[in-house]
Amino acid sequence: MRLATFQDAFAAALLAPEPATGFRGIASQPGFAVYRNTVMKGCIDALQANYPAVSRLVGDEWFRAAAAVYARARLPRHPSLLDYGADFAEFLSGFPPAAELPYLAEVARLDRCWTEAHTARDEQPVSASAVASLSPGELGRTVLRPHASARWAWFAERPVYTIWRRNRVAPDEAAATEMPIEWRGEGALVLRPHASVAHLDLDAAGCAFLDACAAGRDLASAALEALAREPHADLAQLMQRLLEAGAFGAMATLEPGHGERTT
């Protein structure tokens, strides 16, 4: 048997109640059951570490049962379990026991944003002073690329950011989570411009603005996208918040002939 074929059969035997005929001898050994349990526990532990807000919302027993269902269908593909569960939010959105918690998959999406921000490459953020040095004519032609660690999302129907933030706080901050939640749409920006992951609330205009920047649109076009989403958006305040948060990783000014000058 080729090594790759053996490895595939071994992985399948970890999940199947009845392994393939050629593998039943190994799978019937007591040591294999120990290995199977160890692998499953490792997957569940990794998911619980990667999705702490989801786990806190539903409780340990519910989460670990759901994680076991997920792990049986999706073993890790990479040696590092820090990246395990990339599609856990999609799994939860179609998981029948989660139907009564329509925000659960969205909270999982923000947990995933935190992991991606944490593991993103380092990058020096664009400073507010660099943008302030541009002339009015240059400003409209400038393209700001979102920081390598920046992840953002808009949730039109639910206060997902507030729910997520309250379920990632340290235990000594738990008292702050007792305030009533205003049930309205919210957005969030999660990023790591420096040593640690940070996050802030973001409205629909802010998310549209970052979408445009990620698509390579200049600031004039990005501003129009934001205003199309929220006509009364305060663009100056939005830019200030994003720059102070370190939301951009590179800046380039388009020359009148459409050439690009990176700064």
Side-chain angles (χ1 to χ4, degrees):
M1 182 182 294
R2 295 175 53 195
L3 177 59
T5 303
F6 174 83
Q7 290 172 334
D8 289 343
F10 191 91
L14 290 173
L15 305 173
E18 289 293 331
T21 303
F23 218 79
R24 288 176 183 169
I26 295 176
S28 65
Q29 298 178 21
F32 189 84
V34 173
Y35 188 83
R36 172 187 282 160
N37 292 338
T38 300
V39 169
M40 185 59 62
K41 183 179 184 302
C43 291
I44 294 171
D45 288 349
L47 280 172
Q48 195 161 23
N50 292 342
Y51 290 89
V54 175
S55 179
R56 187 171 179 182
L57 273 168
V58 299
D60 189 76
E61 182 178 356
W62 193 101
F63 184 93
R64 295 185 72 83
V69 175
Y70 175 89
R72 289 190 187 99
R74 301 168 177 83
L75 285 176
R77 296 187 176 185
H78 305 289
S80 174
L81 291 179
L82 182 64
D83 190 52
Y84 184 50
D87 61 346
F88 190 57
E90 287 74 17
F91 164 79
L92 288 175
S93 68
F95 187 51
E100 61 184 25
L101 298 173
Y103 52 82
L104 195 62
E106 297 169 325
V107 169
R109 184 178 172 188
L110 288 183
D111 268 341
R112 179 63 188 179
C113 286
W114 195 100
T115 296
E116 291 182 0
H118 177 63
T119 58
R121 63 180 174 85
D122 293 337
E123 186 173 44
Q124 184 66 30
V126 173
S127 67
S129 61
V131 176
S133 68
L134 298 170
S135 69
E138 291 175 321
L139 188 62
R141 303 196 310 272
T142 294
V143 176
L144 287 173
R145 178 177 55 75
H147 193 273
S149 69
R151 303 292 186 274
W152 61 94
W154 170 249
F155 306 99
E157 298 180 5
R158 290 173 278 271
V160 176
Y161 174 66
T162 297
I163 296 170
W164 174 79
R165 178 172 52 83
R166 290 188 178 191
N167 285 279
R168 283 198 72 119
V169 299
D172 59 353
E173 299 175 14
T177 69
E178 297 177 2
M179 297 291 292
I181 296 177
E182 184 180 351
W183 209 260
R184 58 181 176 80
E186 288 182 344
L189 170 64
V190 185
L191 72 171
R192 184 183 54 79
H194 302 296
S196 59
V197 176
H199 47 84
L200 64 151
D201 63 287
L202 205 61
D203 59 16
C207 291
F209 186 88
L210 286 175
D211 286 341
C213 290
R217 308 283 294 276
D218 59 39
L219 290 182
S221 299
L224 291 175
E225 293 286 344
L227 291 173
R229 185 72 67 88
E230 289 190 359
H232 302 294
D234 187 333
L235 297 180
Q237 183 183 56
L238 172 62
M239 277 293 295
Q240 180 180 355
R241 291 189 74 218
L242 292 175
L243 288 167
E244 288 178 351
F248 303 106
M251 180 173 74
T253 302
L254 300 174
E255 300 295 350
H258 300 289
E260 189 174 282
R261 174 166 55 88
T262 303
T263 54

